[in-house]
Amino acid sequence: MSAISRISTNTPWEPIVGYSRLVRAGDLVAVSGTTATDDRGMIVGAGQMYVQARQALVNIRTALERAGLAMHHVIRTRMFVTDMTRFAEVARAHKEFFAAAPPASTVVEVRRLAHPDMMIEIEADAYAGTATSQTSAKPKASVKPKSAKKIAAKKSTRRK
């Protein structure tokens, strides 16, 4: 196996643009912007944000599985939507796939995507290493530093 491996799919844009669906470089995995296409490369769910978001995530999962990975390996997603008012539909689909191991995530509204029927495009980065996952680590309570005035006041009251 070479240091960099690539996986392509059946979308019509890969050979036109010259990109791979997934590229793995050691333990780092990048999944290209993925839209709601079926096995033949046809767009599904025209006008249905949730359906398109879900299909894009299914396509990401399929690419990851071909690389021997799963959705819990995803450490970051970037979602590009054409209508932010439909954010709840996007969030619902994303949570269905990532509730058990939520990645870092970004959602950005864009004016349009490569085809007028596309409503969402999702990128994913994954880690294929052996690090353990902490899905609910709680931050330690921070200690508020004392102000210089309070410290000076305490010192002045301690004079002999």
Side-chain angles (χ1 to χ4, degrees), residues 11-20 114:
T11 63
W13 299 280
E14 288 177 34
I16 292 169
V17 177
Y19 71 94
S20 299

Side-chain angles (χ1 to χ4, degrees), residues 110-131:
V110 296
R111 189 170 63 171
R112 64 179 172 212
L113 296 169
H115 188 281
D117 289 340
M118 292 177 177
M119 302 175 73
I120 185 167
E121 185 166 336
I122 304 174
E123 296 179 350
D125 297 327
Y127 178 70
T130 57

Side-chain angles (χ1 to χ4, degrees), residues 12-100:
W13 299 280
E14 288 177 34
I16 292 169
V17 177
Y19 71 94
S20 299
R21 172 66 42 220
L22 180 147
V23 175
R24 180 173 181 168
D27 289 339
L28 299 178
V29 178
V31 182
S32 293
T34 304
T35 57
T37 54
D38 63 14
D39 293 337
R40 299 169 297 145
M42 304 298 292
I43 299 166
V44 298
Q48 302 174 68
M49 183 69 83
Y50 169 78
V51 171
Q52 286 200 9
R54 194 166 196 306
Q55 183 64 46
L57 290 162
V58 165
N59 293 346
I60 288 170
R61 181 177 62 196
T62 300
L64 288 168
E65 287 171 351
R66 287 183 58 194
L69 301 171
M71 295 300 261
H72 70 269
H73 290 101
V74 173
I75 59 170
R76 180 174 184 80
T77 59
R78 290 172 204 85
M79 296 175 279
F80 304 93
V81 299
T82 57
D83 185 356
M84 191 64 81
T85 65
R86 299 184 68 180
F87 173 78
E89 297 170 69
V90 173
R92 180 175 141 216
H94 193 272
K95 188 174 180 179
E96 286 176 11
F97 284 80
F98 294 112

